[in-house]
Amino acid sequence: DQQVKQNSPSLSVQEGRISILNCDYTNSMFDYFLWYKKYPAEGPTFLISISSIKDKNEDGRFTVFLNKSAKHLSLHIVPSQPGDSAVYFCAARANAGGTSYGKLTFGQGTILTVHP
Amino acid sequence: DADVTQTPRNRITKTGKRIMLECSQTKGHDRMYWYRQDPGLGLQLIYYSFDVKDINKGEISDGYSVSRQAQAKFSLSLESAIPNQTALYFCATSVPGPPDTQYFGPGTRLTVL
């Protein structure tokens, strides 16, 4: 049962335009959502997170939007740069009974290619 | 120097061999994790450890074992490697508390022939 899904395996965008990466989830117990970026031959690196009590979090060119009713979140990158080309993973943390188990559930990833 | 290191970075082995992947961290984090990444499947949790005496199975622990030798070291073993264990393996660390951000090592590419 895939609790976190990234339905687009890949996305291609022109430099300077907006990149929108999407993520859907099924578990209503998720209380934090995170985005990670992964370059080839490197481990994933943390990009941005959002609490389930918020609907938007912004950090420079990166903004994450959360729509709880739709169980959907998206990462917007504006403007996109060739250096943003990477695999992006969506992840979610479940808060069961107020205890943090520290586990994250990851989506399948989306390959973003930004063309000059 | 990298905060989370993994050795080896690449390994080719044969079916039935025992293999150990090692992870070390200098971040001082108590929590450590092992994941595998397969194309199209994202990151799947194999084992996790919240301190030296606490080790737990993840989603896909069959065929794997772990050892937490110290706060800074967490090893993953494949007792008898099989070809479908060919994958990219990542170690990660974290501190407790939301959002439980995890910090990943560079990965080990394992090929089982």
Side-chain angles (χ1 to χ4, degrees):
Chain A
D1 178 28
Q2 191 83 29
Q3 297 186 59
V4 178
K5 291 183 180 180
Q6 295 176 254
N7 292 315
S8 297
S10 62
L11 175 67
S12 184
V13 172
Q14 206 67 30
E15 181 179 6
R17 300 289 186 104
I18 184 171
S19 295
I20 300 176
L21 298 121
N22 295 304
C23 180
D24 297 298
Y25 63 95
T26 57
N27 188 343
S28 58
M29 294 299 291
F30 288 145
D31 65 346
Y32 275 88
F33 302 90
L34 301 85
W35 284 94
Y36 281 80
K37 179 169 69 174
K38 183 187 177 305
Y39 292 120
E42 295 183 12
T45 56
F46 171 71
L47 197 54
I48 191 170
S49 66
I50 187 168
S51 163
S52 60
I53 64 173
K54 296 186 176 181
D55 54 17
K56 177 183 174 180
N57 189 28
E58 191 172 354
D59 183 2
R61 296 186 297 113
F62 302 90
T63 303
V64 56
F65 295 92
L66 176 62
N67 182 334
K68 282 187 68 176
S69 60
K71 292 190 171 66
H72 176 84
L73 64 155
S74 60
L75 174 68
H76 292 211
I77 306 174
V78 183
S80 301
Q81 300 173 353
D84 296 328
S85 297
V87 179
Y88 288 79
F89 291 101
C90 168
R93 185 193 89 143
N95 183 15
T99 301
S100 167
Y101 293 107
K103 292 190 294 182
L104 300 178
T105 301
F106 286 83
Q108 308 96 310
T110 297
I111 302 169
L112 173 65
T113 304
V114 181
H115 298 283
Chain B
D1 287 340
D3 295 320
V4 184
T5 57
Q6 293 183 234
T7 55
R9 292 294 313 277
N10 290 282
R11 180 72 184 268
I12 299 174
T13 191
K14 294 183 178 180
T15 297
K17 294 290 187 182
R18 184 179 189 275
I19 184 168
M20 179 182 287
L21 308 182
E22 299 187 345
C23 176
S24 294
Q25 52 116 346
T26 57
K27 298 183 79 68
H29 293 171
D30 285 329
R31 297 181 171 187
M32 298 187 74
Y33 310 79
W34 274 104
Y35 291 90
R36 66 177 275 175
Q37 184 193 0
D38 297 279
L41 291 180
L43 294 163
Q44 296 175 276
L45 183 63
I46 307 172
Y47 270 94
Y48 61 103
S49 170
F50 282 178
D51 65 42
V52 175
K53 296 181 181 179
D54 177 68
I55 292 178
N56 305 279
K57 292 182 177 180
E59 307 158 343
I60 56 164
S61 59
D62 287 348
Y64 302 94
S65 63
V66 290
S67 172
R68 186 81 184 266
Q69 300 94 323
Q71 185 205 41
K73 295 184 182 297
F74 193 35
S75 301
L76 176 72
S77 293
L78 288 68
E79 297 302 325
S80 179
I82 56 177
N84 77 358
Q85 291 177 314
T86 294
L88 201 49
Y89 289 84
F90 291 103
C91 174
T93 72
S94 75
V95 290
D100 284 302
T101 305
Q102 294 182 12
Y103 301 88
F104 286 82
T108 294
R109 183 168 294 281
L110 176 66
T111 303
V112 183
L113 302 176

